[in-house]
Amino acid sequence: MTTQTTDIPPAEQGERRSWLQEHSELGVCALLLVLGVLVLTDALTMDVDIAQRGPVGPKTVPVVVGAGLLVIAALLAVDVLRGGRGQAEGGEDIDLSEPADWRTVLLLAGVFLGSAVLIEPLGFPVAGALLFWGAAFALGSRRIDRDPLIAAGLSLVTYVVFNDLLGVPLPGGPLMGVL
């Protein structure tokens, strides 16, 4: 003889599980809510006295993004509770019967983490070139005659745009004394 340790009868447990499955999009709402609160909290506690140069300062974009996340979370929750459902992915370029390509995902993650580790000692131009070349390789390009050149050019252009034109300092690394 088995005894149940919960106060909820099995029929109600099935109904609760069914309701949660039917409203699983509420998990996305909760994630957006948490992200919005986190972004707003971080933005509103930011010390910006030194960087403030006009009416629009460093807090403006994070506050707008955080408020937008909260509004989207609320609107999505209302839609889900009114019976709205997300449509299953049915893109013509996606075969849902095929398993995920974990090799590509792991290669991309490794290239990204390697770039994050190498950016400080080697600088952005070298780490960025390795990132772009590694991403192209992970996604299937095997043109070793042109991919490294394109990656190096893209990395240098990105460095110049951010560092020189936008004023966002990026680590230059040892090659910046040569270039």
Side-chain angles (χ1 to χ4, degrees):
M1 179 170 167
T2 61
T3 59
Q4 291 189 352
T5 58
T6 62
D7 296 337
I8 303 171
E12 289 182 25
Q13 285 179 352
E15 290 173 15
R16 177 182 289 169
R17 186 174 297 128
S18 173
W19 188 89
L20 288 174
Q21 287 176 345
E22 289 178 10
H23 298 89
S24 61
E25 290 92 347
L26 290 175
V28 175
C29 299
L31 177 67
L32 291 173
L33 178 74
V34 169
L35 285 175
V37 168
L38 179 68
V39 168
L40 277 176
T41 303
D42 195 36
L44 295 176
T45 59
M46 185 185 311
D47 184 24
V48 294
D49 294 338
I50 296 172
Q52 186 74 31
R53 294 185 181 168
V56 177
K59 286 186 178 183
T60 305
V61 171
V63 167
V64 169
V65 169
L69 285 169
L70 294 179
V71 168
I72 290 172
L75 291 174
L76 182 60
V78 168
D79 181 53
V80 169
L81 293 174
R82 286 185 175 173
R85 300 273 307 161
Q87 293 182 349
E89 181 66 43
E92 60 189 49
D93 60 342
I94 298 172
D95 186 5
L96 298 176
S97 65
E98 290 292 319
D101 185 7
W102 287 107
R103 178 183 178 271
T104 301
V105 172
L106 292 175
L107 279 172
L108 284 172
V111 165
F112 181 74
L113 290 174
S115 175
V117 169
L118 295 174
I119 196 168
E120 205 48 53
L122 298 181
F124 182 84
V126 174
L130 292 174
L131 172 69
F132 296 138
W133 187 18
F137 181 83
L139 293 172
S141 178
R142 299 297 185 257
R143 296 286 309 262
I144 60 171
D145 57 333
R146 72 165 186 202
D147 288 347
L149 297 175
I150 293 172
L154 185 60
S155 181
L156 282 173
V157 167
T158 304
Y159 177 80
V160 168
V161 167
F162 275 89
N163 198 59
D164 298 339
L165 298 178
L166 296 176
V168 178
L170 295 174
L175 290 181
M176 286 301 101
V178 175
L179 297 177

